[in-house]
Amino acid sequence: MNEIILFKYGEIALKGLNKNVFEDILLRNIRWRMRDLGPMRLRKAQSTIYLEPENPDAFDFDEALDRASKIFGVAAVSRALVVEKSMEAICAAAPKYLEPLLSGVQTFKVETRRSDKRFPLKSPGISAETGGALLDAFPHLKVDVHEPDVIVNVEIRDFAAYIHAGSIPGAGGMPVSSSGRALLLISGGLDSPVAAYMMAKRGLALSAIHFQSPPYTSERALQKVETLCEKLTPYTGSIRFYCVPFTELQEAIREHCPEELFTVIMRRMMMRVATLVAAREDIRALVTGESLAQVASQTLDALYCTDNSTDLVVLRPLIGMDKTEIIKIAYQIDTYETSILPYEDCCTVFTPRHPRTKPKLHFIEKAEASFDFEPLIRQAAENTTVKTIH
Amino acid sequence: MEIYLDNCATTRVCDEAAAACLRAMTAEYGNPSSLHRKGLEAESILTETRKTIGQMLSCPPECIRFTASATESNNLAILGSAAARPHGGKTIVITAVEHSSVENAAAALEKKGYTIRRVHPRPDGHFAVEDFLNAVDDDTLLVSFMMVNNEIGTVLPYETLIPALRRKAPKVLLHMDAVQGFTKYPVSMKRLDLDFLTFSGHKLYAPKGIGVLYIKKGTRLFPLAYGGGQEQGLRPGTEAVELVAALKEALLLCQRDGRLWETKYRALNQRLREGAAALPRVSVNSPEDGAPNIVNLSVLGIRSEIMLHFLEEKGIYVSSGSACSKGAKSPALAAFGLTPERIDSALRISFSRETTEDEVDALLAALEDGIRRLRPVIEKNGKELP
């Protein structure tokens, strides 16, 4: 049986003269995500990408569809049967191919798209003939054009005809890396993986940066963050993962700055290190999981102070979201269970008892001036390790 | 350098046990239930190990059932007893410092309407036999208590407790979780009239995945799972022959050298206590008369996990609380009357047959180092606002 997978794209179909660029990126992304599923051909035509396994009988379609549903830039995915472009072939193949699906439902209808206008029969005729063949094969079925249990699709395209039913929704958004690359600050909590997902959806490729403070944080905390990154890769593609040794900087903040300002100053130090690391890859944007007013360091005043420490664009996709909304996405992308593991991360070490909720920038600058942090910042960036998570 | 001082969590498998395990997996690999020679070969591993345990516990070999862990043994004893006596007593007596496998099995019965009474240690950290006797009444089904506490090493007065309970309530079932005590102290079923006794292999140089439950002859018990008739129907499922083979070798080693180790533990314990006394604001939580292989101490002001990871960087492995709960706060330490400050900074150091004086000295030096480096940072409250 000759089966293929069809990827229909959404937003990029609306692009103008540069549509090709987006299509090529999407094609490349699909090829990468499917790379270990065996030899296959990928080609694009008429706002659709065709994935044709060289050996369809040995191809793991279920796995491929699952992966396909997580690739940004795709509006819908379907698994389809390839048949010769003739009504005889379509009517002969459809009942057998659709039997597992149709034997369990009561009503259906057939929808046809005829993009090859040379095909002699017009769309309504194709639908009627195919529907007739299905009714003959499954006497229990009824046609219901308003609310059918199943919609059977017949597509007459340039190369062949395709029969499929029940396309699954794609992940939407823009193909990853079509919008460039950003550096995600990831701690291990619930928010940052969700922020990563949201920005990847808008076409950003991601590198991630994590701050580690042994012995105040553990090896397991690091492992947890790496697991989170792994769980993101079906959506984001590979992630370049930077790990910053942050202990000395944190201890210096502890020693030289007022307790009430620890968190904001720590955030600023993180931004500074992240800015230096971003320069390595010529990255111009940082992504954080901050949500307005969630905690003391995420008030408007605190965010102003944080932003002031970097000249990069800081993207905060969760800024207007409630925790419950964030948790919902965390469940959906399967990072929730990992995120709630109870290992201490660098953000919760040395938490002040009464953090300033409305820090003033000049206070903070004065506090930071009490010690020359610059060498420690440079050193932390220099000693940062990197690896790629697939 | 690797200094492993977390032997109450698990031990390094001894070479003899590892060799026996490999042999059973690659040569004596039959299924004990098979009728042919390979089956018999595997069955005799089970039989021989049962005999060894029987000798050590002074009980008939057929009283020994193999399970997958002490947790399973404890659950089987507690839940299986209750299931076998639907019209029996509805009160279970345990202690307030039990391992979670006893505590949570009892809690599961509590949800089904049983009453759970928890005996607390006295303010001096010791358990009084009288408190157990007061907790037992006509409605009591089972008393379950640990032999040696896994977190601080307190030894329960089981030698007087068991006969006293038998005298007051002859029909009450008695279960002792001997995970931290078996092979460290002599345990004879002739002297201790228990219905059930639990221990596991991996605390005594055998691999993880093998537990034992002693069941007194004639004591009825329902299984937790159903299947083939293995372990007299109480623990169906093909027996883990390789782990049983390893357990036997580990037990023989303990039987042979256990006395020597005990002397060594006492010396190491003394050395560690003396060293700790010289460190600023370090207090020992273990009782003087506790199990000699366990020293629980608090480095006040430094949270357990931070010191644990600091020691880890130096290749020294200890535990904060009990390893089973991965760092969760210990209700047992609170029951022993430790202040929150002590609980927060508690570390458990536990020795093995391989622990040396040098290792204890290295631990003490590392603790001193950690105190010097971490305390000023942690206890600093930062500067005043400018």
Side-chain angles (χ1 to χ4, degrees):
Chain A
M1 201 159 54
N2 188 13
E3 279 185 286
I4 64 166
I5 294 179
L6 301 174
F7 296 82
K8 310 272 172 69
Y9 25 91
E11 196 172 334
I12 59 179
L14 308 172
K15 296 287 172 196
L17 291 175
N18 56 357
K19 180 171 148 188
N20 245 319
V21 178
F22 291 97
E23 285 179 330
D24 288 343
I25 292 173
L26 179 57
L27 200 78
R28 208 168 58 219
N29 290 351
I30 294 173
R31 176 167 288 131
W32 172 252
R33 307 287 173 82
M34 305 288 174
R35 65 194 179 282
D36 56 343
L37 292 182
M40 62 187 69
R41 256 183 353 144
L42 281 168
R43 58 198 167 96
K44 51 176 184 170
Q46 298 161 309
S47 287
T48 302
I49 287 175
Y50 297 70
L51 186 160
E52 302 168 351
E54 269 181 27
N55 184 2
D57 293 327
F59 189 74
D60 189 346
F61 276 93
D62 293 330
E63 173 65 22
L65 284 174
D66 183 51
R67 293 187 194 182
S69 69
K70 294 171 180 163
I71 298 175
F72 291 125
V74 177
V77 193
S78 18
R79 174 180 179 170
L81 179 71
V82 185
V83 291
E84 190 195 311
K85 274 199 287 186
S86 74
M87 274 329 289
E88 293 75 39
I90 292 168
C91 292
K96 188 162 175 281
Y97 182 61
L98 299 172
E99 188 188 349
L101 185 65
L102 293 179
S103 54
V105 300
Q106 302 299 318
T107 59
F108 78 108
K109 77 168 175 179
V110 181
E111 281 184 358
T112 301
R113 273 183 62 184
R114 188 185 64 137
S115 41
D116 176 8
K117 301 297 180 202
R118 293 165 305 175
F119 195 78
L121 206 56
K122 287 194 175 154
S123 293
I126 299 169
S127 294
E129 277 200 30
T130 313
L134 291 173
L135 285 172
D136 288 346
F138 306 103
H140 75 282
L141 278 183
K142 284 199 173 71
V143 174
D144 180 345
V145 292
H146 302 296
E147 279 180 50
D149 295 335
V150 166
I151 299 175
V152 173
N153 295 282
V154 178
E155 299 190 27
I156 312 291
R157 289 174 174 258
D158 287 348
F159 317 108
Y162 304 95
I163 302 168
H164 58 92
S167 70
I168 54 171
M174 297 292 294
V176 163
S177 94
S178 66
S179 304
R181 179 174 285 273
L183 182 61
L184 168 79
L185 278 75
I186 184 164
S187 60
L190 278 163
D191 301 336
S192 33
V194 174
Y197 166 82
M198 307 256 301
M199 291 326 299
K201 186 171 186 169
R202 294 311 302 161
L204 276 180
L206 291 171
S207 297
I209 187 165
H210 175 68
F211 296 83
Q212 206 198 1
S213 300
Y216 306 100
T217 64
S218 74
E219 195 74 31
R220 278 198 173 86
L222 175 64
Q223 218 176 59
K224 168 181 166 182
V225 176
E226 292 184 8
T227 306
L228 286 173
C229 286
E230 266 168 44
K231 284 182 176 267
L232 285 170
T233 55
Y235 301 96
T236 61
S238 314
I239 293 177
R240 260 198 296 282
F241 179 74
Y242 294 94
C243 184
V244 183
F246 200 53
T247 313
E248 280 185 53
L249 255 173
Q250 259 189 314
E251 287 180 344
I253 299 170
R254 177 95 178 164
E255 187 165 352
H256 299 287
C257 302
E259 186 187 354
E260 295 90 331
L261 302 177
F262 279 168
T263 315
V264 179
I265 293 179
M266 183 189 71
R267 299 290 299 170
R268 284 165 58 87
M269 296 298 164
M270 286 177 172
M271 296 306 245
R272 290 183 177 120
V273 176
T275 307
L276 291 177
V277 171
R280 286 194 202 175
E281 285 193 65
D282 205 16
I283 289 175
R284 292 187 193 86
L286 302 177
V287 177
T288 75
E290 286 157 317
S291 152
L292 189 66
Q294 195 185 90
V295 291
S297 67
Q298 298 176 15
T299 61
L300 204 56
D301 288 298
L303 293 178
Y304 173 75
C305 294
T306 310
D307 268 10
N308 201 271
S309 61
T310 180
D311 49 7
L312 300 181
V313 178
V314 182
L315 301 169
R316 296 186 172 91
L318 312 188
I319 198 70
M321 288 170 75
D322 291 349
K323 200 74 183 180
T324 47
E325 295 171 303
I326 296 169
I327 287 173
K328 206 168 147 192
I329 299 179
Y331 265 120
Q332 182 199 325
I333 62 175
D334 192 31
T335 54
Y336 180 82
E337 297 295 336
T338 310
S339 284
I340 60 169
L341 292 173
Y343 310 123
E344 183 124 46
D345 64 55
C346 59
C347 299
T348 50
V349 175
F350 305 146
T351 317
R353 286 160 298 182
H354 307 290
R356 271 290 152 105
T357 52
K358 290 179 179 168
K360 294 284 169 276
L361 188 59
H362 63 275
F363 270 160
I364 286 176
E365 283 171 342
K366 212 164 152 193
E368 287 178 357
S370 67
F371 179 74
D372 185 10
F373 286 101
E374 207 46 49
L376 289 183
I377 294 170
R378 269 201 313 278
Q379 194 187 322
E382 274 162 24
N383 294 335
T384 294
T385 56
V386 60
K387 68 177 187 180
T388 304
I389 295 178
H390 296 301
Chain B
M1 189 183 63
E2 183 178 292
I3 299 179
Y4 184 77
L5 296 172
D6 196 9
N7 292 284
C8 279
T10 196
T11 55
R12 193 173 82 83
V13 174
C14 64
D15 295 345
E16 296 87 339
C21 190
L22 184 65
R23 201 163 53 238
M25 288 192 287
T26 53
E28 301 145 346
Y29 52 80
N31 184 327
S33 301
S34 293
L35 297 179
H36 46 65
R37 194 188 307 139
K38 291 306 277 184
L40 179 62
E41 201 175 76
E43 194 192 352
S44 37
I45 291 178
L46 303 179
T47 315
E48 289 305 312
T49 309
R50 261 189 256 276
K51 268 191 208 157
T52 304
I53 300 172
Q55 279 162 13
M56 291 178 83
L57 290 178
S58 307
C59 72
E62 57 272 23
C63 292
I64 302 305
R65 303 291 194 293
F66 297 114
T67 66
S69 60
T71 290
E72 190 190 334
S73 296
N74 285 342
N75 273 270
L76 181 55
I78 295 169
L79 303 177
S81 297
R85 291 166 189 77
H87 306 296
K90 291 281 180 276
T91 301
I92 312 272
V93 176
I94 63 173
T95 77
V97 301
E98 290 301 319
H99 183 264
S100 49
S101 56
V102 168
E103 170 62 39
N104 291 336
L109 287 178
E110 198 167 18
K111 283 205 183 109
K112 288 186 181 166
Y114 283 74
T115 305
I116 309 300
R117 291 207 187 115
R118 291 173 181 81
V119 177
H120 285 255
R122 293 279 177 95
D124 67 351
H126 290 85
F127 282 89
V129 171
E130 198 190 329
D131 296 344
F132 283 91
L133 296 179
N134 289 338
V136 172
D137 59 22
D138 291 345
D139 189 48
T140 308
L141 176 78
L142 168 84
V143 181
S144 176
F145 52 92
M146 57 184 9
M147 183 178 171
V148 172
N149 176 264
N150 55 320
E151 295 188 56
I152 69 171
T154 303
V155 183
L156 274 76
Y158 56 94
E159 289 191 312
T160 43
L161 175 61
I162 295 166
L165 282 168
R166 279 288 178 233
R167 266 195 305 278
K168 178 170 182 198
K171 285 190 180 156
V172 169
L173 297 166
L174 299 183
H175 169 235
M176 182 160 82
D177 173 0
V179 167
Q180 300 294 351
F182 179 58
T183 73
K184 312 267 184 342
Y185 296 93
V187 180
S188 157
M189 292 302 106
K190 287 228 173 79
R191 286 188 45 216
L192 306 175
D193 184 11
L194 288 165
D195 291 283
F196 311 107
L197 177 122
T198 293
F199 70 90
S200 76
H202 75 113
K203 312 284 191 195
L204 38 88
Y205 316 112
K208 298 156 195 73
I210 182 76
V212 168
L213 182 65
Y214 157 86
I215 305 170
K216 185 180 172 180
K217 261 200 174 161
T219 300
R220 277 181 318 121
L221 202 56
F222 276 6
L224 303 178
Y226 295 87
Q230 293 93 341
E231 299 300 293
Q232 297 168 40
L234 273 176
R235 209 287 180 168
T238 303
E239 300 88 340
V241 181
E242 55 269 40
L243 302 180
V244 173
L247 177 63
K248 182 184 159 202
E249 294 303 321
L251 286 172
L252 290 175
L253 181 73
C254 293
Q255 207 174 18
R256 198 187 68 202
D257 294 346
R259 287 274 148 224
L260 298 174
W261 303 338
E262 201 201 326
T263 319
K264 186 172 81 164
Y265 294 154
R266 292 200 184 281
L268 293 173
N269 189 305
Q270 193 59 27
R271 198 178 185 87
L272 180 52
R273 279 173 187 268
E274 279 166 16
L279 297 173
R281 288 163 60 212
V282 171
S283 39
V284 174
N285 303 318
S286 297
E288 292 275 354
D289 58 355
N293 58 314
I294 303 175
V295 178
N296 190 304
L297 50 82
S298 292
V299 183
L300 300 178
I302 304 179
R303 255 205 348 268
S304 313
E305 289 92 88
I306 296 177
M307 184 55 96
L308 182 150
H309 293 310
F310 177 84
L311 295 174
E312 175 188 15
E313 283 179 355
K314 295 179 178 286
I316 302 175
Y317 303 102
V318 301
S319 157
S320 62
S322 152
C324 301
S325 45
K326 255 193 202 141
K329 275 227 176 87
S330 158
L333 292 183
F336 277 116
L338 267 56
T339 59
E341 197 195 5
R342 277 207 191 192
I343 296 174
D344 268 354
S345 57
L347 297 171
R348 182 187 66 187
I349 293 108
S350 46
F351 311 132
S352 80
R353 66 195 181 100
E354 296 176 307
T355 309
T356 64
E357 289 187 349
D358 286 350
E359 291 181 331
V360 170
D361 292 346
L363 168 71
L364 284 164
L367 282 173
E368 192 178 359
D369 206 15
I371 290 169
R372 207 178 316 121
R373 158 132 143 61
L374 300 171
R375 244 190 214 146
V377 182
I378 292 168
E379 297 193 339
K380 188 151 213 132
N381 284 329
K383 292 211 171 138
E384 291 303 304
L385 278 172

